[in-house]
Amino acid sequence: MTIATEATRRPFALRFISGKYQGDEFPIAPDREIVLGRSNELDVVLVEDMVSRRHAKISYTHESLLIEDLGSTNGTFVNGEKIKRARLKEGDRVLIGTSIVRVVVSDHQGTTGSGDREYREAEARARMQTAAQRPTQAKMSGTIDEVPLVDLLQLFATSKKSGVLKITREEDQGRVVLRKGQVVHASINDNTELGPLKSIYRMLIWEEGFFELDPPDDREFSDELNLSTEGILMEGIRQLDELRRLKPALPPAPTRVSVPLPLQPPLKDLNPTDLTVFQLALNWGRFGLLLDRSKMTDLETSESFLRLVQKGYLKTE
């Protein structure tokens, strides 16, 4: 569906899904330009050092919704890509400073006259001014329900951000250390046995939780990653797709795993990978512990585990 067709139904809005104004929306009416930046005279005022006085402009013409960077110091990013000028559509994510906004179709059901538009814009400005006066430092935060971890890391890689990304989910807390956009270390619940690469792959599976970007961690880690963030994400997405395919056949983490007695198939027929997983099952006895203790990725370990069950080397209880 084109922008022009959607414009005849409802106006668009910028929904803040990260940053100081998280949860707020600013309307974008047809035949209207809005300018975003740090200056108090602008339509959308983003009060933080990483935002230029006049940072970006969004134009909603009859045919399209466009965003243009106005020569900002730190850049404007759309879906992880640094842009000078780009066409926007519903669902696109824009990063300016520590704020991530999503282009949405507004739920407003009122009239689209100039008086109504001005009232809604003034209302949005008042909410943002209240948020700007909160005595908190601007920090990138939000939920991975709204911004999946893959998208976040792509944004950080392109914008070369440094910091520690913390993701909290139920009883788990993940940490991803970034230096100029590159993932150099990762951990879950400070579990050093998982290793940084396995930790980041596992976090990519998480579909809900809260994230925030803390200041940089300048420590050196003995097991730092030297892969590009793009390479990590490409392989992580591949593993994620494969794990989703295997998920119906895999048991829950607490499931007990044992060796059928008497063991019929000979151990000499096992390849080194399957023999390692067989030994882990003997040592730890639960599927979740087997995954945690394995030096291989969750995908490699799960594939081996299913082979062992299918061939009669292991069983679940």
Side-chain angles (χ1 to χ4, degrees):
M1 186 178 292
T2 65
I3 293 290
T5 302
E6 289 171 335
T8 63
R9 296 182 177 182
R10 290 183 293 177
F12 284 90
L14 296 177
R15 177 177 295 163
F16 286 80
I17 57 178
S18 170
K20 197 169 217 179
Y21 308 104
Q22 184 182 347
D24 282 328
E25 284 190 10
F26 194 91
I28 313 173
D31 301 318
R32 174 84 167 96
E33 282 187 354
I34 60 173
V35 180
L36 305 88
R38 204 172 68 245
S39 171
N40 289 329
E41 303 170 353
L42 303 182
D43 303 293
V44 180
V45 181
L46 304 176
V47 186
E48 57 174 287
D49 293 339
M50 291 182 65
V51 176
S52 297
R53 287 184 60 80
R54 287 174 55 85
H55 198 107
K57 177 178 70 175
I58 294 179
S59 309
Y60 193 177
T61 67
H62 177 68
E63 295 181 350
S64 59
L65 187 63
L66 300 173
I67 184 167
E68 180 182 354
D69 184 81
L70 299 177
S72 66
T73 302
N74 293 303
T76 301
F77 300 83
V78 176
N79 298 328
E81 217 174 295
K82 190 172 185 178
I83 59 94
K84 290 186 177 179
R85 181 179 172 87
R87 187 185 298 266
L88 296 175
K89 62 182 184 302
E90 182 184 358
D92 282 349
R93 296 185 182 94
V94 179
L95 171 65
I96 295 177
T98 65
S99 294
I100 302 175
V101 296
R102 176 186 287 163
V103 179
V104 299
V105 175
S106 174
D107 291 330
H108 179 73
Q109 298 296 325
T111 66
T112 57
S114 61
D116 179 68
R117 184 199 72 198
E118 291 168 2
Y119 172 77
R120 288 188 291 118
E121 289 183 2
E123 196 177 45
R125 282 195 200 92
R127 289 196 306 269
M128 293 177 69
Q129 285 173 358
T130 300
Q133 292 168 4
R134 295 171 190 154
T136 56
Q137 184 178 6
K139 179 186 285 191
M140 183 174 288
S141 63
T143 65
I144 57 175
D145 315 47
E146 288 272 14
V147 195
L149 185 54
V150 169
D151 293 0
L152 266 181
L153 293 176
Q154 285 176 334
L155 284 172
F156 295 157
T158 311
S159 55
K160 300 187 183 304
K161 285 195 179 296
S162 296
V164 178
L165 179 65
K166 292 196 306 189
I167 307 105
T168 305
R169 182 196 72 153
E170 298 175 349
E171 298 179 356
D172 294 323
Q173 185 176 85
R175 295 176 80 255
V176 181
V177 181
L178 296 148
R179 291 191 195 133
K180 295 184 178 180
Q182 295 302 307
V183 175
V184 297
H185 198 264
S187 62
I188 298 175
N189 299 331
D190 296 322
N191 184 349
T192 56
E193 292 186 1
L194 284 181
L197 197 56
K198 188 168 180 174
S199 296
I200 191 70
Y201 289 158
R202 189 174 288 190
M203 279 186 271
L204 293 179
I205 298 174
W206 296 358
E207 296 180 345
E208 57 184 28
F210 177 79
F211 75 83
E212 59 181 343
L213 186 65
D214 284 348
D217 184 341
D218 296 327
R219 289 180 297 165
E220 290 189 4
F221 300 90
S222 60
D223 52 353
E224 287 193 3
L225 298 172
N226 56 12
L227 302 170
S228 70
T229 298
E230 292 81 1
I232 290 172
L233 293 179
M234 285 180 64
E235 175 60 17
I237 292 169
R238 183 192 73 81
Q239 293 197 22
L240 176 58
D241 290 341
E242 289 297 309
L243 280 170
R244 282 174 175 161
R245 180 180 61 82
L246 296 179
K247 187 176 181 180
L250 295 173
T255 301
R256 292 190 62 83
V257 178
S258 62
V259 177
L261 296 176
L263 181 62
Q264 297 295 329
L267 290 177
K268 65 181 179 61
D269 291 346
L270 292 179
N271 63 44
T273 296
D274 290 352
L275 186 59
T276 299
V277 174
F278 179 84
Q279 188 65 53
L280 286 168
L282 282 178
N283 291 347
W284 301 104
R286 293 192 185 276
F287 181 63
L289 289 176
L290 185 156
L291 289 175
D292 287 350
R293 299 290 177 169
S294 173
K295 299 299 183 184
M296 296 176 287
T297 66
D298 287 344
L299 175 60
E300 292 169 317
T301 307
S302 296
E303 288 175 332
S304 176
F305 171 80
L306 291 176
R307 284 196 300 269
L308 291 167
V309 171
Q310 183 181 19
K311 294 177 179 179
Y313 288 95
L314 294 177
K315 66 176 183 177
T316 57
E317 301 175 7

